[in-house]
Coordinates of all heavy atoms in Angstrom, one line a residue:
G432 N 7.2 157.1 10.5 CA 8.7 157.0 10.4 C 9.2 155.7 11.0 O 8.4 154.8 11.4
S433 N 10.5 155.6 11.0 CA 11.1 154.3 11.5 C 11.6 154.4 12.9 O 12.3 155.4 13.3 CB 12.3 154.0 10.6 OG 13.0 152.8 11.1
V434 N 11.2 153.4 13.7 CA 11.7 153.4 15.1 C 13.2 153.2 15.2 O 13.8 153.5 16.2 CB 11.0 152.3 16.0 CG1 9.5 152.6 16.0 CG2 11.3 150.9 15.4
K435 N 13.8 152.7 14.1 CA 15.2 152.5 14.1 C 16.0 153.8 14.3 O 17.2 153.8 14.7 CB 15.7 151.8 12.9 CG 15.2 150.3 12.9 CD 15.7 149.5 11.7 CE 15.6 148.0 11.8 NZ 14.2 147.6 12.0
F436 N 15.4 155.0 13.9 CA 16.0 156.3 14.2 C 16.1 156.6 15.7 O 16.9 157.4 16.1 CB 15.2 157.4 13.5 CG 15.5 157.5 12.0 CD1 14.5 157.1 11.1 CD2 16.7 158.0 11.5 CE1 14.8 157.2 9.7 CE2 16.9 158.1 10.2 CZ 16.0 157.7 9.2
D437 N 15.3 155.9 16.5 CA 15.2 156.2 17.9 C 16.2 155.3 18.7 O 16.2 155.2 19.9 CB 13.8 155.9 18.4 CG 12.8 156.9 17.9 OD1 13.2 158.0 17.5 OD2 11.6 156.6 17.8
V438 N 17.2 154.7 17.9 CA 18.1 153.8 18.6 C 18.9 154.7 19.6 O 19.3 155.8 19.4 CB 19.1 153.2 17.6 CG1 19.9 154.3 16.8 CG2 20.1 152.2 18.2
S439 N 19.1 154.1 20.8 CA 20.0 154.7 21.8 C 20.6 153.6 22.6 O 20.1 152.5 22.7 CB 19.1 155.6 22.7 OG 18.1 154.8 23.4
Q440 N 21.8 153.9 23.2 CA 22.5 152.9 24.0 C 22.9 153.5 25.3 O 23.2 154.7 25.5 CB 23.8 152.6 23.2 CG 23.6 152.0 21.8 CD 22.9 150.6 21.9 OE1 23.0 149.9 22.9 NE2 22.4 150.2 20.7
P441 N 22.8 152.7 26.4 CA 23.2 153.1 27.7 C 24.7 153.5 27.8 O 25.5 153.1 27.0 CB 22.9 151.9 28.6 CG 22.9 150.8 27.7 CD 22.4 151.3 26.4
A442 N 25.0 154.4 28.7 CA 26.4 154.8 28.9 C 27.4 153.7 29.0 O 28.5 153.8 28.6 CB 26.5 155.8 30.0
V443 N 26.9 152.6 29.6 CA 27.8 151.5 29.9 C 28.4 150.9 28.6 O 29.5 150.4 28.6 CB 27.1 150.4 30.7 CG1 26.0 149.7 29.9 CG2 28.1 149.4 31.3
V444 N 27.6 151.0 27.5 CA 28.1 150.5 26.2 C 29.3 151.2 25.8 O 30.3 150.7 25.3 CB 27.0 150.5 25.2 CG1 27.5 150.1 23.8 CG2 25.8 149.7 25.6
R445 N 29.3 152.6 26.0 CA 30.5 153.4 25.6 C 31.7 153.0 26.5 O 32.8 152.9 26.0 CB 30.2 154.9 25.8 CG 31.3 155.8 25.3 CD 30.9 157.2 25.2 NE 29.8 157.4 24.3 CZ 30.1 157.6 22.9 NH1 31.3 157.5 22.5 NH2 29.1 157.8 22.1
E446 N 31.5 152.7 27.8 CA 32.5 152.3 28.7 C 33.1 151.0 28.2 O 34.3 150.7 28.2 CB 32.0 152.2 30.1 CG 31.6 153.6 30.7 CD 30.8 153.4 32.0 OE1 30.8 152.3 32.5 OE2 30.3 154.5 32.5
Q447 N 32.2 150.0 27.8 CA 32.7 148.7 27.3 C 33.5 148.9 26.1 O 34.4 148.2 25.8 CB 31.4 147.8 27.1 CG 30.7 147.4 28.4 CD 29.4 146.8 28.1 OE1 28.8 146.8 27.1 NE2 28.9 146.1 29.2
A448 N 33.0 149.8 25.2 CA 33.7 150.1 23.9 C 35.2 150.6 24.2 O 36.1 150.2 23.5 CB 33.0 151.0 23.1
E449 N 35.3 151.4 25.2 CA 36.6 151.9 25.5 C 37.6 150.8 26.0 O 38.7 150.7 25.6 CB 36.5 153.0 26.6 CG 35.9 154.3 26.1 CD 35.6 155.3 27.2 OE1 35.9 155.0 28.3 OE2 35.1 156.4 26.8
A450 N 37.0 149.9 26.8 CA 37.8 148.7 27.2 C 38.1 147.8 26.1 O 39.3 147.3 26.0 CB 37.0 147.9 28.3
M451 N 37.2 147.6 25.1 CA 37.5 146.8 24.0 C 38.5 147.4 23.1 O 39.4 146.7 22.5 CB 36.2 146.5 23.2 CG 36.5 145.6 22.0 SD 35.0 145.0 21.2 CE 34.6 143.6 22.2
R452 N 38.5 148.7 22.9 CA 39.5 149.4 22.1 C 40.9 149.1 22.6 O 41.8 148.9 21.9 CB 39.2 150.9 22.0 CG 40.0 151.6 21.0 CD 39.7 151.3 19.6 NE 40.7 151.7 18.6 CZ 40.5 152.1 17.4 NH1 39.3 152.1 16.9 NH2 41.5 152.4 16.6
R453 N 41.0 149.1 23.9 CA 42.3 148.8 24.5 C 42.7 147.4 24.2 O 43.9 147.1 24.0 CB 42.3 149.1 26.0 CG 42.2 150.6 26.4 CD 42.4 150.8 27.9 NE 41.4 150.2 28.7 CZ 40.3 150.8 29.1 NH1 40.0 152.1 28.7 NH2 39.4 150.2 29.9
L454 N 41.7 146.5 24.2 CA 41.9 145.1 23.9 C 42.4 144.8 22.5 O 43.3 144.0 22.3 CB 40.6 144.3 24.2 CG 40.7 142.8 24.3 CD1 41.4 142.4 25.6 CD2 39.3 142.2 24.3
I455 N 41.9 145.6 21.6 CA 42.3 145.3 20.2 C 43.5 146.2 19.7 O 44.0 146.0 18.6 CB 41.1 145.5 19.2 CG1 40.7 147.0 19.2 CG2 40.0 144.6 19.6 CD1 39.6 147.2 18.1
G456 N 43.8 147.3 20.5 CA 44.9 148.2 20.1 C 44.4 149.6 19.9 O 43.7 149.8 18.9
T457 N 44.8 150.5 20.7 CA 44.2 151.9 20.6 C 44.7 152.6 19.4 O 44.0 153.6 19.0 CB 44.6 152.7 21.9 OG1 46.1 152.6 22.1 CG2 44.0 152.1 23.1
G458 N 45.8 152.3 18.8 CA 46.4 153.1 17.8 C 46.1 152.6 16.4 O 46.5 153.2 15.4
R459 N 45.3 151.5 16.3 CA 45.1 150.9 14.9 C 43.9 151.5 14.2 O 42.9 151.7 14.8 CB 44.9 149.4 15.1 CG 46.0 148.7 15.8 CD 45.8 147.2 15.9 NE 45.9 146.5 14.6 CZ 45.9 145.2 14.4 NH1 45.8 144.4 15.4 NH2 46.1 144.7 13.2

């Protein structure tokens, strides 16, 4: 099988994403 199915991201990435969403506009 493909190791790409095993992709995972640390929790900090989600926290960074939330900060970036505020940067670009939460309602867009």
Side-chain angles (χ1 to χ4, degrees):
S433 173
V434 298
K435 288 183 168 61
F436 281 107
D437 294 334
V438 63
S439 63
Q440 300 293 340
V443 68
V444 175
R445 185 170 295 279
E446 295 168 8
Q447 292 169 344
E449 291 172 357
M451 177 169 281
R452 186 74 195 207
R453 291 191 294 272
L454 196 69
I455 66 173
T457 54
R459 303 184 71 172

